[in-house]
Amino acid sequence: MAQILTVIAPLFIIIFASALLQKFKNIGDDWSKVLNDFALKIGFPVLIFSALSKAPFSFSDQAQLIIANSLFILASFLAAIIIGKFFRLGGQMFRTLFICFVFGNVAYLGIPILVKISGEKILPTASLIVAIYLFWIFTVGIGYLDYSVEKNKKAVAENIIKNLFKNPLLLSVILGIIIGSLKITLPSILLKSLDMITASVTPTVLIVIGLFIGKSTIGKLTEWLPILLFSILHLVILPAGFYFGVKFLGFIPNQFSSSIIQAAMPLAITPFALADKYNLNKDFIARSIVLGTILSVVSLPFWISVLPS
């Protein structure tokens, strides 16, 4: 476990160094917005497209991966509903829990960590897992949030379609799978250009995470108990459910190592960006991102050690 921590430590050093820079130098929101826009609209779409276009793709070969991750995500949505009803959460907190249950940082943090521990050969698999999350989040997840705000089924369906076809990450997955399935070889000069962009993605997204953490306020310690419970659930209980779920179905958990590690990621930044539009609990989201990212320094090496690549 200590050896694994050493491998992924440089990623967290960049995150927390960026957080300290933001906290003490207050470099402003402009950096975060520009870097995040680059990562979301250019960097990650290029990385995902490049990875998938280079690997021959077969739905039959990837069926188990697609089904296992889809079942996990849908089960997580169901668990959020059950917990929300059990604790009789109000509308705002219920919506917050519902979307945050599933919205792990599978792209910004998950892909760099998987590449760090398994090498670039894991990129096609990691990219496909991200695509599965995006599909269900922007259909079931955002669909529910839209319905809770608009109460209009027709408008919800239209928004789901718009969200799917406007999402640069999902579009890059579709295009990459098409190129890979047809076994089209892209010109080497184009591939070199794409590789130059992909090389910049990991440090960029780690800095974005760090800048977000650096802007967060501490608040009262008593306010962090629900955040701690949610973080433990997100980092330990949910991936454990995935682990024992595939084991119960007769599979070897190591077959789904990448998926389980992705399921163990801390909360992503995107729900915070959605908070105003859908009236979510911004303080809960922000603090969950901060604490979850800090605790993942310990939890992720544990899962990586349990699930050798």
Side-chain angles (χ1 to χ4, degrees), residues 69-70 73-74 77 131-142:
N69 280 278
S70 295
I73 294 167
L74 293 174
F77 278 128
I132 297 166
Y133 274 84
L134 289 173
F135 175 80
W136 290 113
I137 286 170
F138 283 94
T139 52
V140 175
I142 301 300

Side-chain angles (χ1 to χ4, degrees), residues 74-131:
L74 293 174
S76 297
F77 278 128
L78 180 60
I81 293 172
I82 293 171
I83 291 174
K85 296 295 184 183
F86 180 81
F87 288 101
R88 298 180 181 179
L89 299 179
Q92 184 192 53
M93 196 60 217
F94 186 89
R95 289 191 300 273
T96 302
L97 186 70
F98 183 79
I99 196 65
C100 288
F101 236 66
V102 176
F103 227 131
N105 205 342
V106 294
Y108 278 19
L109 188 59
I111 288 180
I113 284 180
L114 286 177
V115 170
K116 195 71 176 176
I117 61 176
S118 301
E120 292 194 2
K121 67 180 185 294
I122 201 66
L123 268 175
T125 299
S127 299
L128 182 59
I129 294 171
V130 170

Side-chain angles (χ1 to χ4, degrees), residues 242-253:
F242 200 144
Y243 179 92
F244 289 109
V246 296
K247 200 170 183 179
F248 175 78
L249 293 174
F251 296 102
I252 300 172

